[in-house]
């Protein structure tokens, strides 16, 4: 897994060379320290005390003497920078290609922008108002702290704190609110704690549904009002004493989740009534759900609860509080915003304990986020909306309430590329609050490159790819789709004019929560899913290992055409490739107006993508060529008559992959020769993270344990 400089692409090498050149050539250096005195002048001996002072000082330099050749380097000394407001960089804060502005954490120092507070002075629960709701058998293990002593006067209700029903995605998937409501959370030794819930693990099932049907605009929705759910296996007598119970569930479809507010409980009938409006798709018997925010269910180590009326925080610590760091995230705005700014780099800075998104980029050019981390927060780590040539490299995204990066850039009408790059980044434990359609990277637009990233432990997809002319390569993805159904590790939906997407040399393994001997998902999990008319995608040199569940293969094609699956390995997949063919009538109804969509330029698209000239013909015609299917239950499921299946190898010979026990897909080329099968080698050793000036070490224990799963 160790990768040296010879393995780094030429583009990456050139970028790093220029970056080092910029840093070495900076003719002015400014220092800032959280321990500095207010009257500092920005020198090493007398640094500024805040980034705001630095920003304004650089503005003054630009106005009076202009940027020096080589630019300005800001050295941010180690320590914690407490934010009182968003740090905003605008056009006037910009550098230039020859004079960039670099904000860099001091070497070998820990520089953190924090939006939280440390809680100290917990005491055992006694007779606080409401504490009688605690279970007698755990009451002596529960601690409480008064948040008012930290100046907290109120907290948003859960419905306005990331737990609202309105966040359910519409079926057309076009809705995606990458902003988020502020959501304070509790962290113990930098690990997120669990808002009190029942059951402590897994889901319950709805026994019955009553309510009045509403005629929906969306034919896939089954809307209702005055909804009453009959529940079983929960203590409704105690729940009735709670003040703000929420139910989280997949109420109709297993890809659409929401939090619903309980407005009343009838303990005799075993029913709860939900607030309106409710789930965007209605409710059904057997839907899976669990309850949150109940003090009476605070019964497991790691659970917590806030009495929002009295501002008391109750906590069942996972281990002793002695010496532990207990923190509450509070900052309810982005920590840093780049608004039309250009040629600014943020390097080796850690962002944590935000109650919203952490960093946002709007428009601008060449904003570089390098060697940073985004952790323990409620929203996205980073959002990028328009602009060009922005780059995120060697950053970490962990324990976020939504996704890692949301990015929208380029122009689909003119097919102008964004130049956005996400390279060598590590994503894990995301979408803790908003579980579906909040992947590691959510991308819209044109001309993105996603390379050498490691992604694991997400309830739904790793990548969402509604794009043109983009490449996703050398990424490793495992243990995603842990909760939602009918999705892929990479998921793409809805338009046959999304063209020019290439998946190359990615390693998809252990996709989904199921394992052999457990219940299969109702619909399916795939490594890559091309959903509803996605066409013209090239999937080359990918590895799909334990990447098929339910009715989906390692690759799932739903109605599209002209997709080419080539030189890939499908290993230990229940199904190699699955198809869901469409009737010609359904295809024509779906795509007949696609080229007349005002969001695109028809003539330009026909010139760039010649296959679109035959859009109405040969639906379901896709190709699988020169692939290896090793120990797969079924090679191609629901194969339409015009599916092209040529020059593929189907085998169960263990000698083909001698290192497969450790998840290593280095091949035995001599065995392939005996099969008279030509297969271009996949550069397995280059897949995933690599070391550079920002990522000095690789998480080898995580990689090895992920690959070594059964």
């Amino acid at each position: 897994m160790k990768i040296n400089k010879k393995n780094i692409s030429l583009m990456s090498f050139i970028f790093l060379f220029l970056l080092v050149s910029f840093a070495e050539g900076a003719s002015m250096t400014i220092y800032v320290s959280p321990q500095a005195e207010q009257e500092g002048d920005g020198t090493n001996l007398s640094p500024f005390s805040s980034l705001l002072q630095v920003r304004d000082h650089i503005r003054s330099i630009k106005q009076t003497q202009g940027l020096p050749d080589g630019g300005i380097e800001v050295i941010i000394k180690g320590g914690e920078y407490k934010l009182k407001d968003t740090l905003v960089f605008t056009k006037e804060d910009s550098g230039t290609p020859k004079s960039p502005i670099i904000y860099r954490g001091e070497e070998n120092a820990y520089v953190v922008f924090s939006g939280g507070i440390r809680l100290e002075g917990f005491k055992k629960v006694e007779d606080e108002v409401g504490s009688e709701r605690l279970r007698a058998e755990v009451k002596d293990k529960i601690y409480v702290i008064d948040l008012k002593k930290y100046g907290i006067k109120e907290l948003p209700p859960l419905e306005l704190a990331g737990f609202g029903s309105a966040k359910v995605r519409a079926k057309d998937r076009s809705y995606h609110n990458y902003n988020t409501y502020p959501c304070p959370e509790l962290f113990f030794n930098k690990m997120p704690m669990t808002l009190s819930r029942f059951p402590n693990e897994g889901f319950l099932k709805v026994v019955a549904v009553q309510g009045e049907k509403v005629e929906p605009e969306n034919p896939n929705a089954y809307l209702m009002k005055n909804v009453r759910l009959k529940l079983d296996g929960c203590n409704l007598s105690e729940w009735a004493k709670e003040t703000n119970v929420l139910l989280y569930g997949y109420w109709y479809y297993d890809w659409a989740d929401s939090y619903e507010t309980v407005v009343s409980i009838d303990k005799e009938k075993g029913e709860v009534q939900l607030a309106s409006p409710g789930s965007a798709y209605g409710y059904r018997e057997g839907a899976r759900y669990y309850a949150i925010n109940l003090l009476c269910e605070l019964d497991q180590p790691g659970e917590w609860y806030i009495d929002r009326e009295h501002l008391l925080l109750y906590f069942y610590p996972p281990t002793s509080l002695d010496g532990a760091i207990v923190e509450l995230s509070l900052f309810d705005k982005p920590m840093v915003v780049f608004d039309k700014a250009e040629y600014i780099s943020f390097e080796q800075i850690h962002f944590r304990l935000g109650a919203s998104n952490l960093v946002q980029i709007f428009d601008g050019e060449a904003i570089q986020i390098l060697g940073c981390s985004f952790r323990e927060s409620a929203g996205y780590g980073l959002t990028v909306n328009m602009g060009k040539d922005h780059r995120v490299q060697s950053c970490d995204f962990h324990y976020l309430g939504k996704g890692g990066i949301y990015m929208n850039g380029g122009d689909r009408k003119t097919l102008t590329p964004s130049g956005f790059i996400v390279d060598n980044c590590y994503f894990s434990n995301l979408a803790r609050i908003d579980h579906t359609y909040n992947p590691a990277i959510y991308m819209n637009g044109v001309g993105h490159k996603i390379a050498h990233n490691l992604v694991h432990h997400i309830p739904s997809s790793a990548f969402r790819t509604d794009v043109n002319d983009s490449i996703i390569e050398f990424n490793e993805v495992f243990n995603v789709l842990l909760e939602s159904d009918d999705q892929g590790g990479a998921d793409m939906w809805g338009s046959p004019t999304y063209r020019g997407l290439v998946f190359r040399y990615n390693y998809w393994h252990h996709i989904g929560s199921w394992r052999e001997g457990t219940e299969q998902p109702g619909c399916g999990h795939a490594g890559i899913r091309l959903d509803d008319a996605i066409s013209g995608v090239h999937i080359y040199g990918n590895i799909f290992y334990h990447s098929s569940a339910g009715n989906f293969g390692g690759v799932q094609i739903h109605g599209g055409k002209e997709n080419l699956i080539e030189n890939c390995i499908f290993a230990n997949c229940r199904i190699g490739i699955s198809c869901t063919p469409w009737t010609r009538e359904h295809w024509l109804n779906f795509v007949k107006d696609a080229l007349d969509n005002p969001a695109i330029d028809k003539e330009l698209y026909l010139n760039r993508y010649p296959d679109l000239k035959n859009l109405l013909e040969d639906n379901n015609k896709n190709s699988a060529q020169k692939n290896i299917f090793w120990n797969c239950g079924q090679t191609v499921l629901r194969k339409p008559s015009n599916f092209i299946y040529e020059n593929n190898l189907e085998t169960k010979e263990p000698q083909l992959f001698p290192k497969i026990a450790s998840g290593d897909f280095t091949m035995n080329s001599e065995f392939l020769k005996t099969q008279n099968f030509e297969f271009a080698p996949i550069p397995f050793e280059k897949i995933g993270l690599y070391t550079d000036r920002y990522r000095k070490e690789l998480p080898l224990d995580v990689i090895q344990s992920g690959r070594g799963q059964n």
Side-chain angles (χ1 to χ4, degrees), residues 258-546:
S258 65
Y259 293 90
E260 304 300 333
T261 300
V262 174
V263 295
S264 66
I265 295 176
D266 188 328
K267 53 191 176 184
E268 281 73 30
K269 292 183 178 180
E271 293 180 349
V272 301
Q273 182 164 353
L274 304 182
S276 294
S279 164
Y281 300 103
Y283 303 83
R284 62 176 173 82
E285 178 184 321
R288 50 188 173 135
Y289 77 95
Y290 58 77
I292 66 167
N293 201 46
L294 305 101
L295 185 57
C296 66
E297 301 292 357
L298 202 165
D299 63 349
Q300 289 285 306
E303 287 191 327
W304 63 286
Y305 170 89
I306 294 179
D307 179 336
R308 278 171 157 73
E309 180 182 357
H310 302 100
L311 292 174
L312 298 175
L313 188 151
Y314 294 87
F315 183 34
Y316 189 158
T319 59
S320 172
L321 286 169
D322 293 340
I325 299 174
V326 185
E327 297 166 300
L328 185 70
S329 59
L330 283 176
F331 193 69
D332 60 358
K333 294 171 285 190
M335 293 185 177
V336 178
V337 167
F338 299 92
D339 186 5
K340 299 180 177 63
E342 300 178 355
Y343 295 95
I344 298 176
S345 294
F346 260 47
E347 303 181 17
Q348 296 171 298
I349 301 168
H350 306 282
F351 301 90
R352 60 186 301 265
L353 297 177
S356 183
N357 297 328
L358 289 171
V359 175
Q360 295 189 286
I361 299 171
F362 297 97
D363 211 338
E365 182 175 356
I367 300 299
Q368 314 273 11
I369 309 295
L370 311 170
C372 297
S373 72
F374 304 81
R375 302 178 57 98
E376 296 112 38
S377 296
Y380 269 86
L382 174 67
T383 69
V384 185
N385 195 14
M386 303 310 291
K388 63 179 181 178
D389 297 334
H390 301 314
R391 184 182 188 102
V392 186
Q393 179 172 324
S394 304
C395 293
D396 290 349
F397 299 79
H398 304 302
Y399 300 110
L400 299 175
K402 295 189 95 171
I405 299 173
Y406 172 88
M407 56 193 223
N408 174 48
D411 187 335
R412 287 200 69 232
K413 193 176 186 74
T414 63
L415 291 177
T416 303
S418 70
F420 293 174
I421 296 175
V422 179
D423 181 60
N424 199 34
C425 292
Y426 180 15
F427 303 85
S428 75
N429 296 283
L430 308 181
R432 293 180 299 99
I433 297 171
D434 205 349
H435 295 200
T436 58
Y437 302 104
N438 283 288
I441 305 174
Y442 194 122
M443 62 196 91
N444 289 317
V446 183
H448 309 322
K449 180 179 179 180
I450 309 300
H452 290 288
N453 301 290
L454 175 65
V455 183
H456 64 87
H457 285 92
I458 302 178
S460 64
S461 301
F463 305 130
R464 178 77 187 177
T465 58
D466 299 337
V467 293
N468 289 68
D469 299 342
S470 297
I471 186 164
I472 298 173
E473 64 178 1
F474 293 106
N475 302 285
E476 179 169 357
V477 176
F478 67 92
N479 289 144
V480 299
L481 304 182
L482 297 179
E483 189 175 281
S484 56
D485 192 10
D486 193 19
Q487 292 185 21
D491 213 79
M492 191 175 185
W493 179 88
S495 173
T497 63
Y498 290 140
R499 297 275 173 148
L501 176 61
V502 176
F503 289 95
R504 182 173 62 184
Y505 302 138
N506 301 288
Y507 183 19
W508 314 87
H509 62 98
H510 301 94
I511 303 297
S513 59
W514 74 280
R515 293 294 180 264
E516 293 296 339
T518 63
E519 182 181 358
Q520 293 283 333
C523 193
H525 299 148
I528 297 175
R529 186 181 73 148
L530 310 178
D531 189 20
D532 278 9
I534 294 299
S535 303
V537 175
H538 190 190
I539 301 173
Y540 181 87
N542 287 252
I543 300 168
F544 301 92
Y545 179 45
H546 287 294

Side-chain angles (χ1 to χ4, degrees), residues 144-157:
V144 65
I145 195 166
D146 189 342
L147 297 178
K148 294 190 291 295
K149 73 177 186 177
Y150 294 94
I152 298 173
K153 297 180 180 179
E154 63 178 351
L155 290 172

